Amino acid sequence: IVTYNSLVNGLCKLNKLQEAKELLDEISCKHLVLNEVTYSTLIDAYCNAGDINYALNLCDEMIGKGVLPNVVTYTTLMKGFCRIGKAQKALDLLVEMLKRGVDPDHVTYNTLIHGFCQQGNMEMAFELHDEMSQIHLKPTIVTYNSLIYGLCRIGRFKHAKELIVYVSQKGIELNETTYDTIISAHCNWGNLDEVHYFLDEMAKKGILPTVYTYTALMSKFCKVGQLEEAKEIWNEMLENGISPD
RNA sequence: CCCAGCCAGGUG
């Protein structure tokens, strides 16, 4: 079944859901039993395809067959709800999983926090962050990247910057996503000084933006007619030994 | 440590 799970996952990732379904029949013919990994894989695929209802049906189906949803299954469903802007529904699932005796992990919380950040509900996002600490799940850089993203989206740059300092002081390494998040946001809001400030900070830490990041920056500058800024980014990219694609 | 789940971004 492990081998089949890999195949199912491969088909799902290629959006070949129909072929994945056919593979399920083949599995049944061989008298192998779908397990929670198979179901979680399928649930993720249908959520990504925008069919959360079918995903929920699959969840009921597995329960009916005595295959219990685990932390990954629930987290996957939560991600599905968050994707369509229903973070509150995702939060309801947290209650349900606890009722069923399944413990959330750091990915579960990161998923929920990201969902609320997307909706601009930073109060709830930070509340969940506090809650995860209380139950001894350590927030990771992914957690903080989501929070920083949420703050930037609503223009709370000062708070975002303070959070970055706080994260560094906790000994958590900032990564490329952290910088990309805050740099892109400042760029969108036209805060050029901050764009350069964080590009410098990034360089100091030895983290190089990718050609993708540079292109995003140049594109935005070009769109608002800041051609000289775009040119500056271009030069900076070449100086850092990054080749245009 | 094994098959599934979490963060940002471009050439509309």
Side-chain angles (χ1 to χ4, degrees):
Chain A
I1 188 67
V2 172
T3 311
Y4 274 109
N5 282 344
S6 292
L7 289 171
V8 170
N9 187 37
L11 290 171
C12 287
K13 292 295 182 295
L14 293 170
N15 284 317
K16 302 275 183 199
L17 293 195
Q18 193 49 48
E19 289 177 43
K21 258 186 182 168
E22 288 162 18
L23 196 53
L24 295 186
D25 295 335
E26 188 182 323
I27 293 170
S28 301
C29 286
K30 302 216 170 182
H31 305 293
L32 292 172
V33 180
L34 307 189
N35 64 14
E36 67 276 25
V37 174
T38 327
Y39 278 106
S40 297
T41 303
L42 292 166
I43 286 171
D44 188 41
Y46 281 98
C47 283
N48 289 333
D51 197 346
I52 184 95
N53 287 323
Y54 192 76
L56 289 169
N57 285 340
L58 283 169
C59 189
D60 289 340
E61 181 187 314
M62 69 191 283
I63 293 170
K65 291 188 177 176
V67 182
L68 297 182
N70 63 14
V71 59
V72 175
T73 319
Y74 281 111
T75 302
T76 304
L77 280 170
M78 288 178 189
K79 185 183 60 157
F81 276 119
C82 288
R83 259 179 55 94
I84 56 174
K86 296 190 182 300
Q88 185 55 50
K89 281 283 189 188
L91 195 53
D92 293 344
L93 278 176
L94 177 64
V95 176
E96 188 179 326
M97 74 187 279
L98 288 170
K99 248 192 283 187
R100 286 179 157 274
V102 180
D103 288 332
D105 64 11
H106 69 282
V107 178
T108 313
Y109 273 93
N110 286 347
T111 301
L112 288 169
I113 287 169
H114 179 241
F116 282 105
C117 286
Q118 295 250 40
Q119 293 182 209
N121 189 345
M122 299 310 294
E123 300 73 28
M124 188 57 79
F126 278 104
E127 202 170 297
L128 285 162
H129 162 270
D130 294 343
E131 188 175 305
M132 82 187 281
S133 305
Q134 279 162 24
I135 61 174
H136 306 107
L137 292 175
K138 294 253 175 292
T140 65
I141 189 58
V142 172
T143 318
Y144 289 109
N145 284 344
S146 292
L147 290 169
I148 290 164
Y149 174 72
L151 291 171
C152 287
R153 284 200 44 190
I154 56 178
R156 295 177 59 182
F157 291 111
K158 193 161 150 47
H159 192 167
K161 203 173 198 169
E162 286 163 4
L163 190 55
I164 284 179
V165 171
Y166 171 77
V167 169
S168 303
Q169 282 170 352
K170 282 187 69 163
I172 298 175
E173 292 288 336
L174 306 181
N175 62 17
E176 199 210 320
T177 298
T178 318
Y179 286 106
D180 211 8
T181 301
I182 195 150
I183 289 170
S184 299
H186 277 301
C187 188
N188 278 330
W189 287 61
N191 306 329
L192 301 189
D193 294 345
E194 294 292 332
V195 169
H196 288 291
Y197 170 78
F198 282 108
L199 278 173
D200 286 346
E201 286 294 303
M202 215 175 160
K204 275 189 214 159
K205 295 245 166 84
I207 303 173
L208 281 184
T210 60
V211 62
Y212 200 99
T213 305
Y214 280 121
T215 306
L217 288 174
M218 295 187 327
S219 166
K220 273 161 197 154
F221 284 131
C222 287
K223 274 180 197 155
V224 296
Q226 305 261 24
L227 296 189
E228 61 294 333
E229 278 294 338
K231 182 71 177 158
E232 213 173 292
I233 298 290
W234 169 263
N235 289 333
E236 198 171 317
M237 178 176 91
L238 296 182
E239 277 165 26
N240 284 330
I242 310 284
S243 309
D245 66 4

mmCIF file of all heavy atoms in Angstrom, chain A residues 28-77:
data_model
loop_
_atom_site.group_PDB
_atom_site.id
_atom_site.type_symbol
_atom_site.label_atom_id
_atom_site.label_comp_id
_atom_site.label_asym_id
_atom_site.label_seq_id
_atom_site.Cartn_x
_atom_site.Cartn_y
_atom_site.Cartn_z
ATOM 1 N N SER A 28 -7.994 -2.002 -4.699
ATOM 2 C CA SER A 28 -9.055 -2.836 -4.118
ATOM 3 C C SER A 28 -9.022 -4.243 -4.689
ATOM 4 O O SER A 28 -9.214 -5.222 -3.964
ATOM 5 C CB SER A 28 -10.419 -2.209 -4.385
ATOM 6 O OG SER A 28 -10.463 -0.919 -3.828
ATOM 7 N N CYS A 29 -8.762 -4.347 -6.007
ATOM 8 C CA CYS A 29 -8.684 -5.666 -6.643
ATOM 9 C C CYS A 29 -7.599 -6.523 -6.018
ATOM 10 O O CYS A 29 -7.725 -7.745 -5.925
ATOM 11 C CB CYS A 29 -8.399 -5.514 -8.138
ATOM 12 S SG CYS A 29 -9.827 -4.944 -9.069
ATOM 13 N N LYS A 30 -6.541 -5.875 -5.611
ATOM 14 C CA LYS A 30 -5.430 -6.625 -5.010
ATOM 15 C C LYS A 30 -5.661 -6.887 -3.528
ATOM 16 O O LYS A 30 -4.763 -7.350 -2.830
ATOM 17 C CB LYS A 30 -4.131 -5.849 -5.199
ATOM 18 C CG LYS A 30 -3.816 -5.583 -6.657
ATOM 19 C CD LYS A 30 -2.335 -5.648 -6.926
ATOM 20 C CE LYS A 30 -2.107 -5.613 -8.427
ATOM 21 N NZ LYS A 30 -0.704 -5.725 -8.805
ATOM 22 N N HIS A 31 -6.862 -6.515 -3.062
ATOM 23 C CA HIS A 31 -7.234 -6.729 -1.667
ATOM 24 C C HIS A 31 -6.328 -5.999 -0.692
ATOM 25 O O HIS A 31 -6.094 -6.452 0.418
ATOM 26 C CB HIS A 31 -7.269 -8.229 -1.337
ATOM 27 C CG HIS A 31 -8.154 -8.973 -2.267
ATOM 28 N ND1 HIS A 31 -9.522 -8.803 -2.294
ATOM 29 C CD2 HIS A 31 -7.868 -9.864 -3.257
ATOM 30 C CE1 HIS A 31 -10.036 -9.561 -3.237
ATOM 31 N NE2 HIS A 31 -9.064 -10.208 -3.848
ATOM 32 N N LEU A 32 -5.812 -4.846 -1.175
ATOM 33 C CA LEU A 32 -5.060 -3.998 -0.256
ATOM 34 C C LEU A 32 -6.055 -2.989 0.306
ATOM 35 O O LEU A 32 -7.079 -2.702 -0.315
ATOM 36 C CB LEU A 32 -3.937 -3.264 -0.997
ATOM 37 C CG LEU A 32 -2.799 -4.168 -1.508
ATOM 38 C CD1 LEU A 32 -1.852 -3.375 -2.400
ATOM 39 C CD2 LEU A 32 -2.046 -4.781 -0.336
ATOM 40 N N VAL A 33 -5.766 -2.487 1.477
ATOM 41 C CA VAL A 33 -6.687 -1.555 2.131
ATOM 42 C C VAL A 33 -6.115 -0.142 2.128
ATOM 43 O O VAL A 33 -4.940 0.065 2.447
ATOM 44 C CB VAL A 33 -6.938 -2.001 3.591
ATOM 45 C CG1 VAL A 33 -7.886 -1.040 4.286
ATOM 46 C CG2 VAL A 33 -7.486 -3.425 3.609
ATOM 47 N N LEU A 34 -6.962 0.809 1.732
ATOM 48 C CA LEU A 34 -6.540 2.200 1.769
ATOM 49 C C LEU A 34 -6.306 2.589 3.222
ATOM 50 O O LEU A 34 -7.094 2.231 4.086
ATOM 51 C CB LEU A 34 -7.623 3.105 1.175
ATOM 52 C CG LEU A 34 -8.161 2.767 -0.223
ATOM 53 C CD1 LEU A 34 -9.063 3.901 -0.707
ATOM 54 C CD2 LEU A 34 -7.030 2.518 -1.201
ATOM 55 N N ASN A 35 -5.267 3.301 3.479
ATOM 56 C CA ASN A 35 -5.029 3.731 4.860
ATOM 57 C C ASN A 35 -5.175 5.246 4.991
ATOM 58 O O ASN A 35 -5.592 5.921 4.044
ATOM 59 C CB ASN A 35 -3.664 3.240 5.354
ATOM 60 C CG ASN A 35 -2.499 3.848 4.574
ATOM 61 O OD1 ASN A 35 -2.676 4.820 3.854
ATOM 62 N ND2 ASN A 35 -1.334 3.274 4.736
ATOM 63 N N GLU A 36 -4.823 5.776 6.150
ATOM 64 C CA GLU A 36 -5.024 7.211 6.377
ATOM 65 C C GLU A 36 -4.128 8.066 5.480
ATOM 66 O O GLU A 36 -4.475 9.196 5.148
ATOM 67 C CB GLU A 36 -4.831 7.558 7.860
ATOM 68 C CG GLU A 36 -3.432 7.389 8.395
ATOM 69 C CD GLU A 36 -3.122 5.960 8.829
ATOM 70 O OE1 GLU A 36 -3.754 5.004 8.319
ATOM 71 O OE2 GLU A 36 -2.227 5.805 9.676
ATOM 72 N N VAL A 37 -3.011 7.504 5.061
ATOM 73 C CA VAL A 37 -2.144 8.254 4.157
ATOM 74 C C VAL A 37 -2.798 8.378 2.783
ATOM 75 O O VAL A 37 -2.820 9.461 2.180
ATOM 76 C CB VAL A 37 -0.747 7.586 4.031
ATOM 77 C CG1 VAL A 37 0.088 8.293 2.973
ATOM 78 C CG2 VAL A 37 -0.037 7.595 5.371
ATOM 79 N N THR A 38 -3.374 7.290 2.300
ATOM 80 C CA THR A 38 -4.077 7.322 1.010
ATOM 81 C C THR A 38 -5.178 8.373 1.052
ATOM 82 O O THR A 38 -5.293 9.207 0.141
ATOM 83 C CB THR A 38 -4.728 5.954 0.717
ATOM 84 O OG1 THR A 38 -3.939 4.906 1.247
ATOM 85 C CG2 THR A 38 -4.944 5.781 -0.772
ATOM 86 N N TYR A 39 -5.975 8.318 2.092
ATOM 87 C CA TYR A 39 -7.089 9.259 2.201
ATOM 88 C C TYR A 39 -6.602 10.706 2.331
ATOM 89 O O TYR A 39 -7.159 11.615 1.717
ATOM 90 C CB TYR A 39 -7.992 8.888 3.381
ATOM 91 C CG TYR A 39 -8.978 7.798 3.025
ATOM 92 C CD1 TYR A 39 -8.806 6.489 3.490
ATOM 93 C CD2 TYR A 39 -10.073 8.080 2.202
ATOM 94 C CE1 TYR A 39 -9.708 5.496 3.155
ATOM 95 C CE2 TYR A 39 -10.977 7.080 1.857
ATOM 96 C CZ TYR A 39 -10.783 5.794 2.336
ATOM 97 O OH TYR A 39 -11.675 4.810 1.991
ATOM 98 N N SER A 40 -5.572 10.912 3.117
ATOM 99 C CA SER A 40 -5.066 12.278 3.279
ATOM 100 C C SER A 40 -4.565 12.820 1.951
ATOM 101 O O SER A 40 -4.765 13.999 1.629
ATOM 102 C CB SER A 40 -3.939 12.301 4.309
ATOM 103 O OG SER A 40 -4.421 11.909 5.570
ATOM 104 N N THR A 41 -3.929 11.967 1.192
ATOM 105 C CA THR A 41 -3.430 12.365 -0.123
ATOM 106 C C THR A 41 -4.582 12.783 -1.027
ATOM 107 O O THR A 41 -4.531 13.836 -1.676
ATOM 108 C CB THR A 41 -2.681 11.179 -0.779
ATOM 109 O OG1 THR A 41 -1.640 10.759 0.097
ATOM 110 C CG2 THR A 41 -2.097 11.578 -2.121
ATOM 111 N N LEU A 42 -5.623 11.972 -1.040
ATOM 112 C CA LEU A 42 -6.787 12.275 -1.882
ATOM 113 C C LEU A 42 -7.507 13.532 -1.408
ATOM 114 O O LEU A 42 -7.929 14.362 -2.211
ATOM 115 C CB LEU A 42 -7.755 11.084 -1.867
ATOM 116 C CG LEU A 42 -7.242 9.815 -2.549
ATOM 117 C CD1 LEU A 42 -8.118 8.631 -2.180
ATOM 118 C CD2 LEU A 42 -7.207 10.014 -4.066
ATOM 119 N N ILE A 43 -7.637 13.653 -0.108
ATOM 120 C CA ILE A 43 -8.313 14.832 0.452
ATOM 121 C C ILE A 43 -7.563 16.094 0.060
ATOM 122 O O ILE A 43 -8.156 17.098 -0.336
ATOM 123 C CB ILE A 43 -8.439 14.691 1.988
ATOM 124 C CG1 ILE A 43 -9.533 13.659 2.316
ATOM 125 C CG2 ILE A 43 -8.748 16.026 2.637
ATOM 126 C CD1 ILE A 43 -9.606 13.259 3.770
ATOM 127 N N ASP A 44 -6.252 16.031 0.130
ATOM 128 C CA ASP A 44 -5.450 17.196 -0.258
ATOM 129 C C ASP A 44 -5.691 17.537 -1.731
ATOM 130 O O ASP A 44 -5.851 18.702 -2.090
ATOM 131 C CB ASP A 44 -3.964 16.901 -0.024
ATOM 132 C CG ASP A 44 -3.099 18.141 -0.229
ATOM 133 O OD1 ASP A 44 -3.522 19.235 0.207
ATOM 134 O OD2 ASP A 44 -2.031 18.017 -0.839
ATOM 135 N N ALA A 45 -5.734 16.503 -2.551
ATOM 136 C CA ALA A 45 -5.921 16.718 -3.989
ATOM 137 C C ALA A 45 -7.262 17.379 -4.280
ATOM 138 O O ALA A 45 -7.340 18.322 -5.076
ATOM 139 C CB ALA A 45 -5.807 15.397 -4.729
ATOM 140 N N TYR A 46 -8.324 16.895 -3.649
ATOM 141 C CA TYR A 46 -9.642 17.475 -3.913
ATOM 142 C C TYR A 46 -9.773 18.878 -3.332
ATOM 143 O O TYR A 46 -10.439 19.736 -3.917
ATOM 144 C CB TYR A 46 -10.755 16.539 -3.424
ATOM 145 C CG TYR A 46 -10.980 15.421 -4.409
ATOM 146 C CD1 TYR A 46 -10.400 14.167 -4.224
ATOM 147 C CD2 TYR A 46 -11.706 15.648 -5.580
ATOM 148 C CE1 TYR A 46 -10.553 13.160 -5.160
ATOM 149 C CE2 TYR A 46 -11.873 14.647 -6.525
ATOM 150 C CZ TYR A 46 -11.296 13.403 -6.302
ATOM 151 O OH TYR A 46 -11.438 12.423 -7.240
ATOM 152 N N CYS A 47 -9.107 19.120 -2.219
ATOM 153 C CA CYS A 47 -9.117 20.484 -1.675
ATOM 154 C C CYS A 47 -8.438 21.429 -2.654
ATOM 155 O O CYS A 47 -8.927 22.520 -2.926
ATOM 156 C CB CYS A 47 -8.385 20.529 -0.333
ATOM 157 S SG CYS A 47 -9.335 19.864 1.032
ATOM 158 N N ASN A 48 -7.328 21.000 -3.190
ATOM 159 C CA ASN A 48 -6.592 21.848 -4.133
ATOM 160 C C ASN A 48 -7.376 22.070 -5.415
ATOM 161 O O ASN A 48 -7.181 23.077 -6.094
ATOM 162 C CB ASN A 48 -5.221 21.248 -4.451
ATOM 163 C CG ASN A 48 -4.285 21.342 -3.270
ATOM 164 O OD1 ASN A 48 -4.422 22.227 -2.427
ATOM 165 N ND2 ASN A 48 -3.326 20.427 -3.193
ATOM 166 N N ALA A 49 -8.233 21.103 -5.725
ATOM 167 C CA ALA A 49 -9.058 21.235 -6.924
ATOM 168 C C ALA A 49 -10.297 22.074 -6.621
ATOM 169 O O ALA A 49 -11.137 22.299 -7.494
ATOM 170 C CB ALA A 49 -9.458 19.862 -7.443
ATOM 171 N N GLY A 50 -10.406 22.532 -5.385
ATOM 172 C CA GLY A 50 -11.532 23.389 -5.011
ATOM 173 C C GLY A 50 -12.787 22.634 -4.610
ATOM 174 O O GLY A 50 -13.838 23.229 -4.435
ATOM 175 N N ASP A 51 -12.682 21.307 -4.477
ATOM 176 C CA ASP A 51 -13.861 20.521 -4.125
ATOM 177 C C ASP A 51 -13.803 20.073 -2.671
ATOM 178 O O ASP A 51 -13.591 18.899 -2.365
ATOM 179 C CB ASP A 51 -13.959 19.310 -5.055
ATOM 180 C CG ASP A 51 -15.345 18.683 -5.029
ATOM 181 O OD1 ASP A 51 -16.133 19.015 -4.116
ATOM 182 O OD2 ASP A 51 -15.633 17.862 -5.919
ATOM 183 N N ILE A 52 -13.987 21.025 -1.791
ATOM 184 C CA ILE A 52 -13.896 20.728 -0.369
ATOM 185 C C ILE A 52 -15.003 19.769 0.066
ATOM 186 O O ILE A 52 -14.819 18.961 0.983
ATOM 187 C CB ILE A 52 -13.946 22.031 0.463
ATOM 188 C CG1 ILE A 52 -13.751 21.773 1.957
ATOM 189 C CG2 ILE A 52 -15.256 22.769 0.265
ATOM 190 C CD1 ILE A 52 -12.364 21.934 2.423
ATOM 191 N N ASN A 53 -16.136 19.830 -0.614
ATOM 192 C CA ASN A 53 -17.237 18.942 -0.222
ATOM 193 C C ASN A 53 -16.891 17.477 -0.464
ATOM 194 O O ASN A 53 -17.175 16.622 0.367
ATOM 195 C CB ASN A 53 -18.508 19.326 -0.979
ATOM 196 C CG ASN A 53 -19.080 20.624 -0.450
ATOM 197 O OD1 ASN A 53 -19.037 20.890 0.753
ATOM 198 N ND2 ASN A 53 -19.585 21.451 -1.356
ATOM 199 N N TYR A 54 -16.263 17.234 -1.606
ATOM 200 C CA TYR A 54 -15.857 15.848 -1.871
ATOM 201 C C TYR A 54 -14.801 15.416 -0.868
ATOM 202 O O TYR A 54 -14.765 14.263 -0.424
ATOM 203 C CB TYR A 54 -15.339 15.689 -3.299
ATOM 204 C CG TYR A 54 -15.192 14.245 -3.706
ATOM 205 C CD1 TYR A 54 -16.321 13.491 -4.032
ATOM 206 C CD2 TYR A 54 -13.939 13.624 -3.700
ATOM 207 C CE1 TYR A 54 -16.193 12.156 -4.367
ATOM 208 C CE2 TYR A 54 -13.808 12.285 -4.036
ATOM 209 C CZ TYR A 54 -14.940 11.551 -4.368
ATOM 210 O OH TYR A 54 -14.819 10.230 -4.687
ATOM 211 N N ALA A 55 -13.931 16.343 -0.520
ATOM 212 C CA ALA A 55 -12.898 16.041 0.472
ATOM 213 C C ALA A 55 -13.540 15.651 1.806
ATOM 214 O O ALA A 55 -13.109 14.699 2.461
ATOM 215 C CB ALA A 55 -11.976 17.242 0.648
ATOM 216 N N LEU A 56 -14.586 16.379 2.159
ATOM 217 C CA LEU A 56 -15.286 16.058 3.405
ATOM 218 C C LEU A 56 -15.978 14.695 3.307
ATOM 219 O O LEU A 56 -16.007 13.938 4.273
ATOM 220 C CB LEU A 56 -16.308 17.156 3.734
ATOM 221 C CG LEU A 56 -15.705 18.488 4.187
ATOM 222 C CD1 LEU A 56 -16.768 19.579 4.216
ATOM 223 C CD2 LEU A 56 -15.033 18.352 5.555
ATOM 224 N N ASN A 57 -16.490 14.399 2.103
ATOM 225 C CA ASN A 57 -17.101 13.084 1.902
ATOM 226 C C ASN A 57 -16.075 11.972 2.097
ATOM 227 O O ASN A 57 -16.376 10.938 2.688
ATOM 228 C CB ASN A 57 -17.676 12.971 0.484
ATOM 229 C CG ASN A 57 -18.960 13.762 0.341
ATOM 230 O OD1 ASN A 57 -19.608 14.086 1.333
ATOM 231 N ND2 ASN A 57 -19.323 14.072 -0.895
ATOM 232 N N LEU A 58 -14.888 12.210 1.569
ATOM 233 C CA LEU A 58 -13.827 11.217 1.721
ATOM 234 C C LEU A 58 -13.510 11.002 3.200
ATOM 235 O O LEU A 58 -13.241 9.874 3.636
ATOM 236 C CB LEU A 58 -12.558 11.665 0.985
ATOM 237 C CG LEU A 58 -12.559 11.503 -0.525
ATOM 238 C CD1 LEU A 58 -11.365 12.232 -1.133
ATOM 239 C CD2 LEU A 58 -12.512 10.016 -0.901
ATOM 240 N N CYS A 59 -13.556 12.079 3.945
ATOM 241 C CA CYS A 59 -13.274 11.984 5.374
ATOM 242 C C CYS A 59 -14.332 11.116 6.056
ATOM 243 O O CYS A 59 -14.013 10.258 6.879
ATOM 244 C CB CYS A 59 -13.228 13.379 5.983
ATOM 245 S SG CYS A 59 -12.644 13.393 7.682
ATOM 246 N N ASP A 60 -15.592 11.349 5.694
ATOM 247 C CA ASP A 60 -16.664 10.516 6.251
ATOM 248 C C ASP A 60 -16.502 9.059 5.833
ATOM 249 O O ASP A 60 -16.697 8.142 6.624
ATOM 250 C CB ASP A 60 -18.034 11.022 5.767
ATOM 251 C CG ASP A 60 -18.407 12.341 6.419
ATOM 252 O OD1 ASP A 60 -17.829 12.657 7.475
ATOM 253 O OD2 ASP A 60 -19.258 13.055 5.856
ATOM 254 N N GLU A 61 -16.129 8.897 4.557
ATOM 255 C CA GLU A 61 -15.951 7.538 4.033
ATOM 256 C C GLU A 61 -14.894 6.774 4.811
ATOM 257 O O GLU A 61 -15.087 5.613 5.174
ATOM 258 C CB GLU A 61 -15.561 7.601 2.554
ATOM 259 C CG GLU A 61 -15.367 6.231 1.919
ATOM 260 C CD GLU A 61 -14.822 6.342 0.498
ATOM 261 O OE1 GLU A 61 -15.334 7.173 -0.274
ATOM 262 O OE2 GLU A 61 -13.861 5.600 0.187
ATOM 263 N N MET A 62 -13.782 7.436 5.079
ATOM 264 C CA MET A 62 -12.713 6.719 5.791
ATOM 265 C C MET A 62 -13.148 6.343 7.197
ATOM 266 O O MET A 62 -12.862 5.243 7.675
ATOM 267 C CB MET A 62 -11.394 7.507 5.759
ATOM 268 C CG MET A 62 -11.333 8.789 6.542
ATOM 269 S SD MET A 62 -9.829 9.762 6.167
ATOM 270 C CE MET A 62 -8.591 8.865 7.104
ATOM 271 N N ILE A 63 -13.876 7.255 7.835
ATOM 272 C CA ILE A 63 -14.364 6.958 9.182
ATOM 273 C C ILE A 63 -15.302 5.760 9.127
ATOM 274 O O ILE A 63 -15.215 4.847 9.954
ATOM 275 C CB ILE A 63 -15.077 8.184 9.793
ATOM 276 C CG1 ILE A 63 -14.070 9.308 10.028
ATOM 277 C CG2 ILE A 63 -15.772 7.806 11.094
ATOM 278 C CD1 ILE A 63 -14.686 10.636 10.407
ATOM 279 N N GLY A 64 -16.154 5.740 8.085
ATOM 280 C CA GLY A 64 -17.090 4.631 7.907
ATOM 281 C C GLY A 64 -16.385 3.301 7.751
ATOM 282 O O GLY A 64 -16.901 2.247 8.128
ATOM 283 N N LYS A 65 -15.199 3.358 7.177
ATOM 284 C CA LYS A 65 -14.442 2.118 6.968
ATOM 285 C C LYS A 65 -13.504 1.800 8.125
ATOM 286 O O LYS A 65 -12.682 0.896 8.048
ATOM 287 C CB LYS A 65 -13.627 2.230 5.680
ATOM 288 C CG LYS A 65 -14.504 2.240 4.435
ATOM 289 C CD LYS A 65 -13.661 2.157 3.190
ATOM 290 C CE LYS A 65 -14.572 2.095 1.965
ATOM 291 N NZ LYS A 65 -13.802 2.107 0.717
ATOM 292 N N GLY A 66 -13.608 2.611 9.149
ATOM 293 C CA GLY A 66 -12.779 2.344 10.320
ATOM 294 C C GLY A 66 -11.351 2.846 10.209
ATOM 295 O O GLY A 66 -10.488 2.477 11.004
ATOM 296 N N VAL A 67 -11.105 3.701 9.203
ATOM 297 C CA VAL A 67 -9.774 4.310 9.086
ATOM 298 C C VAL A 67 -9.880 5.697 9.708
ATOM 299 O O VAL A 67 -10.594 6.562 9.197
ATOM 300 C CB VAL A 67 -9.342 4.434 7.606
ATOM 301 C CG1 VAL A 67 -7.944 5.023 7.507
ATOM 302 C CG2 VAL A 67 -9.407 3.079 6.925
ATOM 303 N N LEU A 68 -9.198 5.900 10.812
ATOM 304 C CA LEU A 68 -9.379 7.152 11.526
ATOM 305 C C LEU A 68 -8.507 8.272 10.968
ATOM 306 O O LEU A 68 -7.313 8.090 10.726
ATOM 307 C CB LEU A 68 -9.066 6.946 13.012
ATOM 308 C CG LEU A 68 -10.008 5.966 13.716
ATOM 309 C CD1 LEU A 68 -9.635 5.864 15.203
ATOM 310 C CD2 LEU A 68 -11.463 6.400 13.551
ATOM 311 N N PRO A 69 -9.123 9.437 10.768
ATOM 312 C CA PRO A 69 -8.363 10.605 10.319
ATOM 313 C C PRO A 69 -7.299 10.937 11.371
ATOM 314 O O PRO A 69 -7.596 10.869 12.569
ATOM 315 C CB PRO A 69 -9.407 11.718 10.250
ATOM 316 C CG PRO A 69 -10.732 11.042 10.297
ATOM 317 C CD PRO A 69 -10.528 9.734 10.978
ATOM 318 N N ASN A 70 -6.125 11.275 10.924
ATOM 319 C CA ASN A 70 -5.071 11.642 11.871
ATOM 320 C C ASN A 70 -4.782 13.141 11.773
ATOM 321 O O ASN A 70 -5.520 13.884 11.135
ATOM 322 C CB ASN A 70 -3.811 10.796 11.635
ATOM 323 C CG ASN A 70 -3.199 11.037 10.268
ATOM 324 O OD1 ASN A 70 -3.539 11.993 9.584
ATOM 325 N ND2 ASN A 70 -2.293 10.163 9.861
ATOM 326 N N VAL A 71 -3.715 13.557 12.386
ATOM 327 C CA VAL A 71 -3.404 14.992 12.423
ATOM 328 C C VAL A 71 -3.178 15.553 11.018
ATOM 329 O O VAL A 71 -3.576 16.676 10.709
ATOM 330 C CB VAL A 71 -2.185 15.265 13.345
ATOM 331 C CG1 VAL A 71 -0.954 14.509 12.883
ATOM 332 C CG2 VAL A 71 -1.901 16.753 13.438
ATOM 333 N N VAL A 72 -2.588 14.765 10.145
ATOM 334 C CA VAL A 72 -2.357 15.239 8.774
ATOM 335 C C VAL A 72 -3.685 15.393 8.035
ATOM 336 O O VAL A 72 -3.906 16.383 7.336
ATOM 337 C CB VAL A 72 -1.421 14.281 8.005
ATOM 338 C CG1 VAL A 72 -1.298 14.709 6.551
ATOM 339 C CG2 VAL A 72 -0.056 14.223 8.663
ATOM 340 N N THR A 73 -4.569 14.437 8.218
ATOM 341 C CA THR A 73 -5.874 14.501 7.561
ATOM 342 C C THR A 73 -6.615 15.775 7.955
ATOM 343 O O THR A 73 -7.118 16.517 7.104
ATOM 344 C CB THR A 73 -6.728 13.284 7.962
ATOM 345 O OG1 THR A 73 -5.913 12.106 7.976
ATOM 346 C CG2 THR A 73 -7.888 13.101 7.005
ATOM 347 N N TYR A 74 -6.660 16.030 9.241
ATOM 348 C CA TYR A 74 -7.367 17.227 9.713
ATOM 349 C C TYR A 74 -6.685 18.505 9.229
ATOM 350 O O TYR A 74 -7.339 19.455 8.812
ATOM 351 C CB TYR A 74 -7.457 17.226 11.244
ATOM 352 C CG TYR A 74 -8.551 16.326 11.759
ATOM 353 C CD1 TYR A 74 -8.263 15.157 12.450
ATOM 354 C CD2 TYR A 74 -9.894 16.659 11.530
ATOM 355 C CE1 TYR A 74 -9.278 14.331 12.909
ATOM 356 C CE2 TYR A 74 -10.910 15.833 11.984
ATOM 357 C CZ TYR A 74 -10.601 14.669 12.673
ATOM 358 O OH TYR A 74 -11.605 13.852 13.127
ATOM 359 N N THR A 75 -5.366 18.525 9.294
ATOM 360 C CA THR A 75 -4.645 19.723 8.875
ATOM 361 C C THR A 75 -4.868 19.990 7.395
ATOM 362 O O THR A 75 -5.025 21.133 6.969
ATOM 363 C CB THR A 75 -3.142 19.561 9.174
ATOM 364 O OG1 THR A 75 -2.969 19.324 10.570
ATOM 365 C CG2 THR A 75 -2.362 20.809 8.780
ATOM 366 N N THR A 76 -4.918 18.928 6.622
ATOM 367 C CA THR A 76 -5.167 19.061 5.188
ATOM 368 C C THR A 76 -6.537 19.670 4.925
ATOM 369 O O THR A 76 -6.683 20.562 4.088
ATOM 370 C CB THR A 76 -5.053 17.686 4.516
ATOM 371 O OG1 THR A 76 -3.768 17.133 4.799
ATOM 372 C CG2 THR A 76 -5.239 17.789 3.009
ATOM 373 N N LEU A 77 -7.524 19.199 5.648
ATOM 374 C CA LEU A 77 -8.873 19.757 5.497
ATOM 375 C C LEU A 77 -8.911 21.231 5.922
ATOM 376 O O LEU A 77 -9.559 22.053 5.286
ATOM 377 C CB LEU A 77 -9.869 18.958 6.340
ATOM 378 C CG LEU A 77 -10.356 17.645 5.728
ATOM 379 C CD1 LEU A 77 -11.136 16.844 6.762
ATOM 380 C CD2 LEU A 77 -11.241 17.923 4.501
#
